[in-house]
Each structure stands twice: as structure tokens, then as C-alpha cells.
Amino acid sequence: MDKISTKNIIIIIIAVIAAIAIIFGAAAYNGHKDSQPINAEAEAEETGGEEEIEGIEVITDDETEEDSEEEEQTASEPEPEITRYYGGTYLIGEEMQAGEYVLGPNTQEGSFEIVSDLSGEKSSLIAGGSYNVRVYVTVEEGQYLKFDGVAVAAEDAEAYIPKDSIYQHTGMYLVGKDIQPKQYLAKLDTEDGSEGYIEVTRDSKWSEDSVLEQYTVEEDMTISLNEDTYVRVVGVKLREPY
């Protein structure tokens, strides 16, 4: 009887130990499962791909396609075209907008006139000049602009890049855009040895009130140019002093 009782007790103890081991094993497994990182793609699939998991932004295929379409549209947008006016006579305010323009020749030389009417009388002439490279002009509504070559709005014109850093022939340059503000050596550049001319102005209206400085060039001289002014040269070339 004592032997049977002892055997039963041993069986009971073993069963209890086994039960405890099973309980602890299950708890450990659940804890390990809960600690695994969330797979956003799998979660999105389980929730239909549209719900947002806390702390994780789920991007759907539709949103990706929309972003791609927007990027393609932005990349395919053409740059705005530059309006060019070709040699002729234009009524400012109707055929050509008022404002500042850069004129360039089609061949070696061009010329322009700003007139108040088309009568041909000298009294109608407001301004005029010639150019081998470029000139700036400002025209107002009601005036007429007659020119050779091509004209573009000054804001659309690219900066002039001189050959060998020498500004020569007959032209007009915006300081700070076409030519840097600094000191330059002015050299006579006429074929017949006649005088050259330099004019520095505050704007491109070609009026007496616009003129800041004027120079007659008979021999080498130095001039200093300030930003946001215009320099016009005739029979003169400018370069940095050696």
C-alpha cells in the first residue's frame, strides 16, 4: 500500500512539472511573436492596402502612378519662347510692347531710329545710332522704332561674351551683365585714325539727361565702369589693363 501511494505521488509530481513546462513554453512563444517587426507590405495586404499603420505611411500603387504622372508633366513642360522682332518699323504699344530692347545686326552693321511719327521730318527724330555688336534702347508707347537686324526684350537677352575679353567695334554694353564693373584700358580702334568716342549713361533712353560721362579717345586712356550703367563705344576697344 505504501509502495503504491509513493508511485502515485511520483506520477502526480511529473505531471505537474510537465504542465508547468508547457505553460511557460507557450508564454515564451507568444512573447517572441509579439516582439517581431511589423511587415508594412504584409500588413497593407491584409488591410486591403489602404489603411495606415500607426507610425508607418503606406503608399499605394495609385499614389505612385499619380506622382510619376506629375513628374512627367513637369519635365515635359517646354521653356517659354523668346519673342523676336525682325528688322522693320514698329508702332510701340500696338505692334511692339513698350520697354527696353537689345538690338543686334544681321550682318556686320545695323542701325536704328526712334521717331515720334513717320513724316520723315528731322523734328520727328528722337534718337538714332549704329552698331556692330549690340545696343540697348528703351521705347515708349506712341513712338516708332525703325531698325535693322533683330530685337529681343532686354530681360530675355543673353549676356554678351566678348572674344579674348576685348570689347570692340561699335556697341553698347550693360555693366554688370555684358561687362564687369572695373577699370578698363580704352584704345583707339579706327581704320583711318579718327577719334573714338565713349559714353556712359544711366539708362538706355538715348537722351541728354541719361548721359553720365563722355570721352573723346585720341590715345590710350583708362576708364572705370560702375554696375548698372551702360557704356557705348564708337571706334574704341576696351580691355583690362595688363
Side-chain angles (χ1 to χ4, degrees), residues 183-188 198 214-223 236-239 241:
Q183 191 176 68
Y184 290 87
L185 176 65
K187 297 179 68 68
L188 191 62
I198 299 175
Q214 292 175 308
Y215 305 95
T216 297
V217 182
E218 298 177 342
E219 57 184 18
D220 293 358
M221 60 179 292
T222 57
I223 63 169
V236 173
K237 59 182 178 182
L238 301 177
R239 65 168 175 80

Side-chain angles (χ1 to χ4, degrees), residues 82-152:
I82 296 176
T83 301
R84 290 178 170 82
Y85 300 88
Y86 295 93
T89 301
Y90 296 85
L91 174 58
I92 307 304
E94 292 187 13
E95 301 168 325
M96 192 174 187
Q97 292 184 353
E100 185 178 40
Y101 291 87
V102 174
L103 310 182
N106 274 336
T107 55
Q108 292 184 348
E109 185 176 68
S111 62
F112 79 95
E113 287 185 350
I114 302 174
V115 296
S116 58
D117 55 54
L118 300 179
S119 64
E121 299 291 334
K122 289 184 177 181
S123 58
S124 67
L125 181 63
I126 298 172
S130 59
Y131 45 91
N132 296 110
V133 184
R134 62 167 45 184
V135 293
Y136 288 78
V137 298
T138 296
V139 287
E140 300 176 357
E141 190 170 340
Q143 297 175 340
Y144 290 85
L145 176 61
K146 303 166 64 176
F147 66 93
D148 305 317
V150 61
V152 298

Side-chain angles (χ1 to χ4, degrees), residues 39-115:
N39 186 315
E41 294 182 358
E43 187 70 16
E45 291 178 1
E46 292 177 2
T47 57
E50 297 180 356
E51 296 183 4
E52 183 177 319
I53 301 172
E54 184 177 356
I56 299 177
E57 182 181 0
V58 178
I59 301 176
T60 64
D61 292 340
D62 291 340
E63 291 173 343
T64 304
E65 291 177 0
E66 291 176 0
D67 293 340
S68 299
E69 290 177 0
E70 290 178 0
E71 291 177 359
E72 289 177 1
Q73 290 176 358
T74 302
S76 62
E77 287 180 359
E79 295 183 0
E81 293 185 1
I82 296 176
T83 301
R84 290 178 170 82
Y85 300 88
Y86 295 93
T89 301
Y90 296 85
L91 174 58
I92 307 304
E94 292 187 13
E95 301 168 325
M96 192 174 187
Q97 292 184 353
E100 185 178 40
Y101 291 87
V102 174
L103 310 182
N106 274 336
T107 55
Q108 292 184 348
E109 185 176 68
S111 62
F112 79 95
E113 287 185 350
I114 302 174
V115 296

Side-chain angles (χ1 to χ4, degrees), residues 134 136 154-160 174-180:
R134 62 167 45 184
Y136 288 78
E155 60 184 14
D156 294 330
E158 295 182 357
Y160 175 72
L174 174 56
V175 183
K177 177 178 180 177
D178 303 312
I179 185 170
Q180 295 304 307

